[in-house]
Amino acid sequence: MTTMEIEVRDAPPQAARAAAQAKIAVRDFDFYYGAFKALHAITLDVPAQRVTAFIGPSGCGKSTFLRSINRMNDIIPEARAAGSITIDGRDVYGSGTDPVELRRRVGMVFQKSNPFPKSIFENVAYGLRIGGLRNKRQLEATVERSLKRAALWDEVKDRLHGSALALSGGQQQRLCIARALAVDPEILLMDEPASALDPIATSKIEELIYELKDNYTIVIVTHNMQQAARVSDRTAFFMLGKLVEYGDTREIFMNPREKMTEDYVTGRFG
Amino acid sequence: MSTTSNARRRKIVSRIFEVLCAAAVLVALLPLALILFYVIKEGFGALNLAFFTQMPKPVGEVGGGMANAIAGTLMLIGLAALFAVPIGCVCGIHLSEYPGTRFSSVVRFAADVLNGVPSIVIGIFAYGIAVLPVKRFSAIAGGVALGLLMIPVVVRTTEELLRLVPSGLREGALALGASRSRAVFTVIVPAALPGILTGILVALARVAGETAPLLFTSFNNRFWSTSLTQPIASLTVQVFTYAISPYDDWHRQAWAGAFLLVVIILALSIIARLAVRRLERMNRP
């Protein structure tokens, strides 16, 4: 998985693909920062238990779109959304949706790893504690399970109560993944999770994504085309706030319909 | 030819300014060094066990100490912290969480103005609200006066330090399903806590040396008192009283009191540093 040429795995068999239903359904979604329109009428379906990659040049709106799914953009003043995003049929921007509750179901991993200045244990336990879990044995069990799922347990099991900031960049990012997994979300949003990491740490994160997709619906924003090709089942190509093309990753990379997509994935611009 | 002379000229100018900078540093540090030297020279010799354990002797009698004033100063700064820390921290949190609102800019401006108000005026204000209504000087009134002096410092340090916390930490907490207030109190405030604590201790050290606001709030007391509603002695007021007296022995004790004040303030600063180092062990690898 570390070779630099574009590798594309076999697409999932037809039957399995049919079974993968739309977990996230987006219809005519617009997003504004004040007067600036950052997203134009995005419409796409993200399948359950698959990895979907968003690619595109900087400033194309892919991160904005990702952050719209768990309403992280709410904290930006003068930001405004129109159109609809539904998760399992429930409107993310509906009046009955509590963003705090939503974010417990839709986890997020950021470009820059952001462990809290607490111990490794407390980082992973954070989401559980704010969810009201007090039982020490349950906390310990969930922390261990989450760290194992994030392939970090063996490296930190002897220093769970040491500072999370003493970990390496790659370990910190896996800690952030463990922290997100601990609250057992259905969806995991990843905003360029490996862009600040070296190739070895990156390949660990990619292996992890590959393993996690059996249980989670994963959406990943990436600047790295090889990464999109390696880890994702579906790829969406964004350009200037518009969705240019969306399809099976193999199709997008081997046989794109749009000239713009082809130029981008072959490295002619961007 | 001209480039070498230009380079030479620049070297000379650079040297001149280096000397000027060093001179400015010296001028700034000289008073501090002189004050410390003089206070230690005069004060250290005047210190003895009686100074810490005994009460002031009646006029004319030699000896005695400032036990009541030492206890009084500690009580007064404790009261000041009790008033100022909750109010100041809550204001600071509000300012950092809602930085752009009209209300916030009013609060920020008010804190800056309060910071510039002369301490004697603060003392008169505290006299008006805490002495006049009950017609009695009291430790509480002194604590209110010192607390008012502390509030703006605590407000602004809390605000500044909370704003230094990387926004990624807030996003991380929100993304895990924390409400905004939860994120503030479980992640942002703890991350800034070492700095906030330092700010509080530095503010305490500052008010510990105040005399003017105590003159007509806590007044003075020649007897042992720990009552909140009675006048109470303080090191600063006692030093002031003794220093303007005509007795040599009182002058000696005033120096000792001044020395002790400097030590208390130094100790607060050192405690601040140690506390920060302890708390920061978690914040740094």
Side-chain angles (χ1 to χ4, degrees):
Chain A
M1 288 305 226
T2 49
T3 51
M4 287 316 285
E5 76 252 32
I6 296 180
E7 296 177 46
V8 178
R9 286 192 314 274
D10 287 339
Q14 283 296 334
R17 211 184 319 168
Q21 299 150 349
K23 181 80 178 168
I24 309 169
V26 183
R27 297 289 176 270
D28 286 323
F29 188 76
D30 298 327
F31 196 84
Y32 303 82
Y33 292 112
F36 174 69
K37 191 169 183 181
L39 292 175
H40 300 260
I42 308 295
T43 294
L44 57 76
D45 285 336
V46 174
Q49 264 116 54
R50 292 282 179 278
V51 178
T52 303
F54 295 168
I55 61 170
S58 295
C60 69
K62 57 195 187 304
S63 279
T64 297
F65 182 48
L66 189 76
R67 294 165 59 94
S68 299
I69 297 172
N70 68 342
R71 290 184 60 176
M72 280 305 283
N73 288 326
D74 283 17
I75 58 179
I76 299 167
E78 296 189 23
R80 190 162 56 82
S84 85
I85 298 179
T86 56
I87 295 175
D88 292 334
R90 279 175 59 190
D91 189 358
V92 166
Y93 285 84
S95 56
T97 303
D98 174 13
V100 170
E101 212 271 317
L102 168 76
R103 290 179 197 134
R104 298 186 67 77
R105 296 170 53 217
V106 185
M108 189 165 209
V109 175
F110 298 84
Q111 177 177 9
K112 202 164 161 281
S113 62
N114 53 355
F116 303 133
K118 300 173 188 283
S119 68
I120 293 167
F121 183 90
E122 285 304 325
N123 263 276
V124 183
Y126 183 82
L128 301 168
R129 285 194 198 280
I130 60 173
L133 185 61
R134 293 276 172 278
N135 183 307
K136 193 158 179 263
R137 200 168 311 149
Q138 262 178 296
L139 277 174
E140 281 169 356
T142 312
V143 167
E144 179 175 341
R145 193 173 61 238
S146 307
L147 284 168
K148 278 180 175 160
R149 268 196 219 159
L152 189 61
W153 174 252
D154 289 332
E155 292 159 64
V156 302
K157 64 180 177 212
D158 298 325
R159 48 171 170 153
L160 286 178
H161 298 283
S163 172
L165 301 184
L167 297 174
S168 72
Q171 288 173 326
Q172 288 192 6
Q173 195 60 295
R174 276 179 285 149
L175 178 67
C176 291
I177 294 173
R179 190 172 71 180
L181 295 180
V183 293
D184 210 21
E186 297 153 35
I187 299 167
L188 200 55
L189 307 175
M190 304 178 117
D191 192 355
E192 299 184 49
S195 67
L197 304 178
D198 69 36
I200 293 167
T202 300
S203 73
K204 278 192 178 159
I205 300 271
E206 287 180 8
E207 278 168 37
L208 186 57
I209 292 171
Y210 192 70
E211 278 161 27
L212 289 174
K213 74 168 177 175
D214 289 341
N215 296 307
Y216 304 92
T217 301
I218 296 174
V219 185
I220 177 171
V221 161
T222 180
H223 266 296
N224 180 329
M225 241 99 59
Q226 284 92 354
Q227 184 172 69
R230 283 193 297 261
V231 304
S232 72
D233 302 298
R234 305 270 291 169
T235 296
F237 172 57
F238 289 81
M239 184 80 184
L240 297 170
K242 294 191 177 80
L243 177 64
V244 175
E245 189 167 350
Y246 178 48
D248 285 347
T249 297
R250 169 188 277 271
E251 291 297 307
I252 295 285
F253 281 90
M254 307 297 267
N255 193 15
R257 284 189 313 264
E258 302 287 332
K259 179 81 168 60
M260 248 193 302
T261 315
E262 186 182 346
D263 287 350
Y264 186 74
V265 299
T266 53
R268 228 162 288 168
F269 75 94
Chain B
M1 184 64 198
S2 75
T3 50
T4 54
S5 79
N6 193 21
R8 202 150 145 224
R9 194 178 62 82
R10 282 185 5 198
K11 253 188 184 160
I12 293 168
V13 172
S14 164
R15 181 38 61 89
I16 290 173
F17 275 94
E18 274 173 29
V19 171
L20 283 177
C21 286
V25 170
L26 266 183
V27 169
L29 287 181
L30 198 63
L32 177 68
L34 283 177
I35 290 169
L36 281 180
F37 170 74
Y38 218 70
V39 167
I40 291 169
K41 178 172 156 263
E42 298 282 337
F44 191 70
L47 273 183
N48 52 29
L49 190 63
F51 182 83
F52 291 98
T53 56
Q54 292 191 10
M55 305 293 295
K57 284 265 158 70
V59 180
E61 257 181 74
V62 175
M66 289 197 187
N68 59 338
I70 296 169
T73 286
L74 294 179
M75 242 179 90
L76 283 169
I77 60 175
L79 283 171
L82 216 59
F83 286 126
V85 170
I87 297 175
C89 285
V90 169
C91 279
I93 290 169
H94 181 93
L95 291 185
S96 85
E97 281 300 304
Y98 304 93
T101 64
R102 206 184 159 77
F103 180 69
S104 285
S105 55
V106 170
V107 170
R108 200 173 291 121
F109 182 68
D112 286 346
V113 171
L114 188 61
N115 200 22
V117 173
S119 58
I120 187 91
V121 177
I122 299 279
I124 294 168
F125 177 72
Y127 175 79
I129 61 165
V131 177
L132 276 184
V134 295
K135 302 264 190 296
R136 188 197 279 154
F137 296 116
S138 66
I140 286 191
V144 167
L146 296 185
L148 282 169
L149 280 168
M150 261 183 88
I151 285 173
V153 186
V154 177
V155 171
R156 294 312 299 268
T157 38
T158 305
E159 181 196 1
E160 306 276 322
L161 286 154
L162 287 176
R163 284 219 221 165
L164 286 179
V165 176
S167 61
L169 290 186
R170 175 194 303 273
E171 292 195 334
L174 293 179
L176 286 169
S179 64
R180 186 169 176 181
S181 59
R182 200 79 193 239
V184 168
F185 287 109
T186 57
V187 171
I188 298 172
V189 169
L193 201 58
I196 294 174
L197 211 65
T198 321
I200 290 170
L201 286 168
V202 166
L204 264 185
R206 208 204 107 183
V207 299
E210 287 288 347
T211 317
L214 297 179
L215 286 173
F216 27 71
T217 51
S218 62
F219 194 58
N220 200 349
N221 193 335
R222 294 191 58 78
F223 304 99
W224 181 266
S225 169
T226 51
S227 164
L228 294 177
T229 54
Q230 293 294 327
I232 196 166
S234 55
L235 275 171
T236 48
V237 175
Q238 195 78 333
V239 166
F240 171 71
T241 317
Y242 277 15
I244 60 172
S245 77
Y247 312 110
D248 277 345
D249 188 52
W250 281 18
H251 290 168
R252 192 182 58 76
Q253 289 201 25
W255 278 114
F259 175 71
L260 187 61
L261 261 178
V262 172
V263 171
I264 288 177
I265 289 163
L266 194 69
L268 280 174
S269 311
I270 291 171
I271 292 170
R273 299 224 150 202
L274 291 180
V276 167
R277 208 166 299 163
R278 255 209 130 125
L279 286 166
E280 271 189 345
R281 260 197 322 212
M282 266 299 152
N283 288 11
R284 291 224 181 99

